[in-house]
Amino acid sequence: MRRIAVFVLLLSIVCGMQAQKKEQAHGYPINPVPFTSVKVTDAFWGQRLKASREVTIPLAFSKCEETGRYENFVKAANPSPLYKVEGLSFDDTDVYKTIEGASYSMQTYPDKQLAKYIDSVLVIVAAAQEADGYLFTSRTMNPEHPHEWAGSQRWEKVEELSHEFYNLGHMIEGAIAHYQATGKRNFLDIAIKYADCVEGEIGEGSGKQVKVPGHQIAEMALAKLYLVTGQQKYLDLARFFLDKRGYTTRQDEYSQAHKPVLEQDEAVGHAVRAAYMYSGMADVAALTGDAGYIHAIDNIWENVVTKKLYITGGIGATSHGEAFGKNYELPNMSAYCETCAAIGNVYWNYRLFLLHGESKYYDVLERTLYNGLISGVSLDGGGFFYPNPLESIGQHQRQPWFGCACCPSNVCRFIPSLPGYVYAVKDKDVYVNLFMGNTSEIEVGGKKLTLKQTTDYPWNGDIRMEVTPKGKQDFTLKIRIPGWVQNEVVPSKLYSYTDRKQLNYTVKVNGSPMEAELDKGYFNISRQWKKGDVVEVHFDMEPRTVKAHPNVEADNGRVAVERGPVVYCAEWPDNDFSILSVFMNRKPEFTVESKPGLLHGIRQINTKAQALNYDEKGRLQTRDVTLSLIPYYAWAHRGSGEMAVWLPQDVSATRPSAPPTITTNAKVTSSHEAKSITAVNDGMMPKGGEDRSAPYFHWWPKEGTIEWIAYEFDTPQKVTASSVYWYDDAPWGGCRLPQSWKVYYRDTAGNWQAVANSTSYGIEKGMSNEVLFDPVTTKALKLEVVLPEKNAAGLFEWSVE
């Protein structure tokens, strides 16, 4: 790991004072078993944890160096009016989150070199902190000309874009993880000092301001800080942030401030902010006993699982505001499903389980974990998705980093903490919530217990548990029976199985079959346990077909395929036909094939299907094909191409491959280069002006300019007409219909000439706008577009005949 020179110069002054740990009740009825007590030996998750430790975390630290994250702290320690404040106002959090993830990793895999490196980073962070504790490099490095989102003074824009409280939240989360990993207070003291600064200036009372976070997470973090320090003021501030939401100047759905939190019953707005807030509400409810918070988040959870949850466990349907859509609005290709939102969904469902002890929350958590969350990071740990769509024509690829790097750094901090989600304890009850190979040390009823799981889950449903108590011990082992085994896709009617299969499960103790009525989704085994006791669990695991609720328009006439907790998709490298043209059999039969050398080892699913296409005369043709499916989390590792989770099983949902046109193989260029440029000649038209499911291209953020897009053909083509389907995302987006447009052709001398149009250039939303012109023979056509004065413009499709 590289170090900037100032690290070495300042490292010698780092003080590693050991902390006096305070034991505080966390408030939840059920106790988490910390990840430090669970040693994962699992092939599936072991590979992920290794990739996080060896690739993701080092990569994140190196990107913090390369992209100036550390330099921001150095500048803040030496402010100057000459500094140009660039980047994003929450860039500081990438440092905090990466330290958090590294701290989790070090608790199970000690690394002296990494610990020393983090100490050197914290020297720089500490030097940037102002005397009263304020730490926000986007202001401090140049107080006269701070970041454009920061406002002219502290907290001025904290409810909008400054992210001062958001930075505090991630700082606290990272500091507590580092403190727990090392016992050192160097980061914790920085976080406490900033928290005291905020608490001293924000709240009710003389001289204080009433402000709430624009982006939530401080609520969760302050609850944790209360537990670590025992200081009530931090819990009070967390509650203040929640109770004042909806009563300040910020009152909109985007930030969940449209009404007081206790009155909310629908998930709206920015999905990450929402999930963090709901998690914070659970924490405060657990610590204060306020049933109003629990009632509200229960209602919101019900709204999500019945109307707003993707089959992958993803949340947040639309890129407009990275937000929840309307009820049942779950598009596939334009699905946002931000990786951070999936992580937030895990946090939220985990807390609801700790409150209620019902397995349904872990059913949602497991679905999210195995699908919509780990799809956000490549198998090698070095590539990341920001959105996680359920369909693609090749425009989506993981990236090694983003300018807005919240998702990579969030993955850094989540994956190493995963072992902490496997078990939980309440009195003499031991909950087994996730199934993965591990050896754990658990305290139940004041006595130590060793639990060892051996399994090849999620590839088969056989789990062996070796129970080793200290002597004979009475307790209840509560084994979660997943919803997918009980014919329930999710805890609602949003999705349902279509194949009428009935899966079974068995539980044996020392070879003897056990019988029990499920209690809140758990199979309970109450007995006096002794060393050598073995529990064997078997879940039937077969490919299943799933349909969505009829109100989910995007999935009408389609089915998805899943096996166990894993959702599958069809991807181009495994199929020699267009994925989007496939037509599933009404009663598909599946085979499961072990592929140990593919994508770090998977189970591939194969089935017979048909591929539909139009011939050159426009006649529909079919051919029999073998459709191969891979786990959704593993897609986009083998290059760009088509992918789909939801596959047509009804004629009304099919998309036969269109015959080639003169634009199919044309080279497309534009005044604004973007990967989405492939949308203009993909043959996919929207269903109407408000449809966002079809791919589109736009010139945003340009406004009021003259832009262009061009086709170049291999050979001269005779053309007589052109049509454009405009993209207009009013009222919330930045694209509107253009002021005007023209078509040009390139003559034999290489000059652009306007076509002689015989009809007008139409500018209508929700339809194809065609212009006819005198025939021309050319090797290139250009579409020239005059953008609206204060908006950009875009298009779904540009056709030429």
Side-chain angles (χ1 to χ4, degrees):
M1 233 178 265
R2 300 192 311 276
R3 295 186 187 162
I4 56 181
V6 69
F7 287 2
V8 179
L9 294 173
L10 296 178
L11 182 58
S12 60
I13 67 169
V14 174
C15 178
M17 295 174 59
Q18 292 296 313
Q20 297 296 315
K21 297 185 178 180
K22 296 177 180 287
E23 295 295 329
Q24 294 287 336
H26 56 77
Y28 286 100
I30 299 173
N31 295 299
V33 172
F35 68 91
T36 50
S37 298
V38 182
K39 177 70 173 179
V40 173
T41 57
D42 188 78
F44 185 91
W45 287 109
Q47 183 270 322
R48 288 284 183 166
L49 289 163
K50 182 179 179 183
S52 176
R53 184 172 67 253
E54 296 182 357
V55 178
T56 309
I57 291 171
L59 173 66
F61 276 130
S62 70
K63 290 297 182 181
C64 286
E65 295 183 19
E66 292 172 15
T67 59
R69 263 58 167 181
Y70 296 157
E71 186 180 359
N72 288 343
F73 289 97
V74 175
K75 288 179 176 178
N78 302 277
S80 169
L82 301 179
Y83 292 145
K84 183 178 181 182
V85 185
E86 298 178 304
L88 298 167
S89 61
F90 47 85
D91 282 349
D92 294 354
T93 65
D94 294 329
V95 177
Y96 307 149
K97 286 184 280 186
T98 307
I99 291 175
E100 181 180 353
S103 298
Y104 290 145
S105 181
M106 287 192 298
Q107 290 188 58
T108 48
Y109 293 91
D111 186 330
K112 292 181 179 179
Q113 184 179 358
L114 179 58
K116 191 175 180 181
Y117 175 84
I118 292 172
D119 280 344
S120 68
V121 173
L122 291 174
V123 170
I124 293 176
V125 173
Q129 191 163 36
E130 297 185 26
D132 66 351
Y134 185 75
L135 210 174
F136 182 57
T137 67
S138 290
R139 180 186 311 283
T140 306
M141 72 170 73
N142 186 348
E144 295 179 25
H145 304 286
H147 193 282
E148 60 181 334
W149 291 356
S152 61
Q153 55 188 336
R154 294 181 184 183
W155 329 127
E156 181 181 322
K157 293 188 176 181
V158 74
E159 295 187 355
E160 300 169 31
L161 290 169
S162 79
H163 289 79
E164 287 153 293
F165 296 164
Y166 174 77
N167 286 15
L168 169 67
H170 275 300
M171 179 191 292
I172 293 171
E173 295 268 346
I176 291 173
H178 180 259
Y179 167 62
Q180 292 173 337
T182 66
K184 297 177 183 177
R185 294 189 61 100
N186 47 344
F187 196 7
L188 183 62
D189 286 342
I190 296 170
I192 289 174
K193 197 172 179 182
Y194 189 18
D196 288 344
C197 171
V198 174
E199 193 275 335
E201 298 187 20
I202 304 298
E204 291 182 300
S206 177
K208 291 191 174 185
Q209 300 181 49
V210 176
K211 300 280 187 179
V212 299
H215 192 312
Q216 300 92 317
I217 196 177
E219 301 86 347
M220 298 165 59
L222 287 163
K224 275 188 182 179
L225 190 59
Y226 159 70
L227 294 174
V228 170
T229 64
Q231 294 196 40
Q232 181 70 30
K233 64 181 180 180
Y234 301 130
L235 179 59
D236 291 344
L237 183 58
R239 183 165 188 165
F240 173 85
F241 282 157
L242 292 170
D243 288 348
K244 290 302 177 183
R245 197 162 207 89
Y247 291 103
T248 67
T249 56
R250 184 76 187 264
Q251 297 183 7
D252 60 346
E253 288 191 349
Y254 173 82
S255 62
Q256 298 77 42
H258 57 300
K259 59 175 71 172
V261 297
L262 295 180
E263 298 176 16
Q264 296 186 29
D265 57 8
E266 180 181 357
V268 297
H270 191 277
V272 180
R273 298 172 187 229
Y276 285 176
M277 186 180 84
Y278 306 150
S279 298
M281 290 169 69
D283 286 343
V284 172
L287 291 166
T288 64
D290 192 324
Y293 288 124
I294 299 174
H295 179 71
I297 54 176
D298 283 350
N299 287 340
I300 296 167
W301 183 87
E302 192 71 22
N303 172 249
V304 170
V305 297
T306 60
K307 299 177 178 68
K308 298 190 177 186
L309 181 71
Y310 277 91
I311 193 172
T312 57
I315 54 174
T318 174
S319 61
H320 298 303
E322 302 175 330
F324 287 101
K326 300 174 183 176
N327 289 336
Y328 301 108
E329 182 185 354
L330 296 167
N332 293 310
M333 192 174 296
S334 62
Y336 205 68
C337 293
E338 185 180 337
T339 301
C340 287
I343 292 173
N345 201 24
V346 167
Y347 290 157
W348 180 26
N349 278 276
Y350 179 57
R351 285 162 167 80
L352 287 172
F353 159 75
L354 294 176
L355 280 171
H356 299 303
E358 296 182 51
S359 69
K360 64 182 181 180
Y361 302 112
Y362 256 91
D363 288 342
V364 176
L365 187 156
E366 181 183 63
R367 177 169 294 275
T368 306
L369 184 63
Y370 279 95
N371 301 290
L373 194 158
I374 58 173
S375 63
V377 57
S378 63
L379 291 163
D380 65 6
F384 309 92
F385 271 141
Y386 201 107
N388 291 269
L390 280 73
E391 189 171 283
S392 180
I393 57 171
Q395 73 273 44
H396 306 96
Q397 280 296 298
R398 291 183 185 85
Q399 303 297 320
W401 200 250
F402 301 98
C404 176
C406 56
C407 291
S409 54
N410 229 356
V411 166
C412 271
R413 76 189 188 109
F414 177 79
I415 295 295
S417 72
L418 172 69
Y421 292 88
V422 180
Y423 302 107
V425 173
K426 180 182 181 182
D427 300 325
K428 289 191 175 183
D429 293 339
V430 178
Y431 292 84
V432 181
N433 285 316
L434 293 177
F435 308 104
M436 63 181 71
N438 72 83
T439 300
S440 61
E441 297 291 333
I442 301 172
E443 185 172 312
V444 53
K447 297 180 180 179
K448 296 289 185 180
L449 162 71
T450 300
L451 208 62
K452 180 181 179 181
Q453 274 195 55
T454 306
T455 182
D456 197 25
Y457 198 89
W459 306 128
N460 71 47
D462 295 318
I463 303 106
R464 175 186 171 90
M465 302 181 201
E466 298 176 29
V467 183
T468 308
K470 299 290 186 183
K472 295 181 179 180
Q473 194 170 344
D474 292 313
F475 64 87
T476 299
L477 194 66
K478 300 175 74 71
I479 302 168
R480 182 176 68 92
I481 308 301
W484 57 263
V485 180
Q486 303 178 65
N487 216 39
E488 187 177 71
V489 184
V490 296
S492 74
K493 295 181 180 179
L494 184 57
Y495 302 106
S496 57
Y497 293 112
T498 67
D499 49 31
R500 298 182 180 176
K501 294 179 181 179
Q502 295 293 323
L503 302 189
N504 294 308
Y505 66 90
T506 60
V507 179
K508 297 179 180 179
V509 176
N510 300 329
S512 300
M514 305 293 291
E515 299 290 337
E517 291 291 327
L518 295 188
D519 176 20
K520 295 184 177 180
Y522 289 89
F523 189 102
N524 295 341
I525 309 174
S526 299
R527 58 182 277 130
Q528 186 179 74
W529 299 87
K530 64 183 185 304
K531 183 179 180 180
D533 283 344
V534 175
V535 179
E536 295 170 289
V537 180
H538 169 78
F539 301 136
D540 288 348
M541 193 175 282
E542 298 181 21
R544 306 292 306 272
T545 50
V546 178
K547 68 177 180 180
H549 190 283
N551 287 348
V552 182
E553 184 179 345
D555 300 334
N556 284 348
R558 301 173 184 272
V559 293
V561 178
E562 61 181 45
R563 181 174 180 269
V566 178
V567 174
Y568 277 70
C569 70
E571 193 186 19
W572 68 274
D574 309 301
N575 301 281
D576 62 354
F577 51 88
S578 171
I579 297 301
L580 304 184
S581 74
V582 76
F583 185 47
M584 293 282 287
N585 294 341
R586 285 300 181 99
K587 295 183 178 180
E589 295 181 357
F590 299 100
T591 60
V592 180
E593 185 178 357
S594 177
K595 293 276 191 175
L598 180 62
L599 300 167
H600 287 267
I602 63 167
R603 297 295 189 272
Q604 187 178 72
I605 295 177
N606 303 305
T607 187
K608 299 296 183 182
Q610 291 177 299
L612 310 183
N613 69 281
Y614 292 106
D615 66 14
E616 293 182 355
K617 295 183 179 180
R619 296 177 299 183
L620 185 63
Q621 295 181 321
T622 67
R623 68 180 176 107
D624 293 332
V625 297
T626 297
L627 177 67
S628 295
L629 306 171
I630 64 167
Y632 168 76
Y633 72 75
W635 82 282
H637 281 90
R638 296 170 288 175
S640 301
E642 294 180 344
M643 180 279 295
V645 169
W646 289 97
L647 305 167
Q649 197 178 44
D650 190 277
V651 175
S652 63
T654 59
R655 285 181 290 191
S657 296
T661 70
I662 63 173
T663 66
T664 300
N665 296 313
K667 179 182 178 181
V668 189
T669 57
S670 172
S671 56
H672 177 64
E673 295 298 327
K675 289 184 178 180
S676 60
I677 200 169
T678 58
V680 302
N681 63 339
D682 62 11
M684 299 182 66
M685 301 288 280
K687 297 176 182 178
E690 303 305 321
D691 182 11
R692 301 289 182 266
S693 63
Y696 54 86
F697 167 81
H698 58 71
W699 285 279
W700 190 86
K702 296 185 178 181
E703 299 176 351
T705 55
I706 298 175
E707 305 297 331
W708 58 267
I709 191 167
Y711 285 138
E712 295 185 33
F713 312 116
D714 291 335
T715 59
Q717 301 289 332
K718 183 178 180 179
V719 294
T720 61
S722 179
S723 58
V724 180
Y725 202 117
W726 298 109
Y727 172 73
D728 181 334
D729 58 0
W732 307 114
C735 291
R736 301 291 185 273
L737 296 172
Q739 294 188 51
S740 62
W741 61 289
K742 285 185 178 181
V743 175
Y744 292 81
Y745 71 96
R746 193 160 62 198
D747 63 21
T748 54
N751 299 315
W752 290 107
Q753 305 290 342
V755 299
N757 57 302
S758 56
T759 60
S760 61
Y761 288 96
I763 308 177
E764 296 290 334
K765 182 176 179 178
M767 62 180 292
S768 187
N769 295 266
E770 184 180 58
V771 61
L772 304 179
F773 46 82
D774 294 346
V776 296
T777 300
T778 182
K779 290 188 69 175
L781 281 181
K782 181 173 72 170
L783 189 70
E784 188 177 86
V785 180
V786 180
L787 304 188
E789 184 177 345
K790 294 184 179 181
N791 288 101
L795 59 152
F796 287 102
E797 198 75 14
W798 176 26
S799 305
V800 177
E801 295 182 14

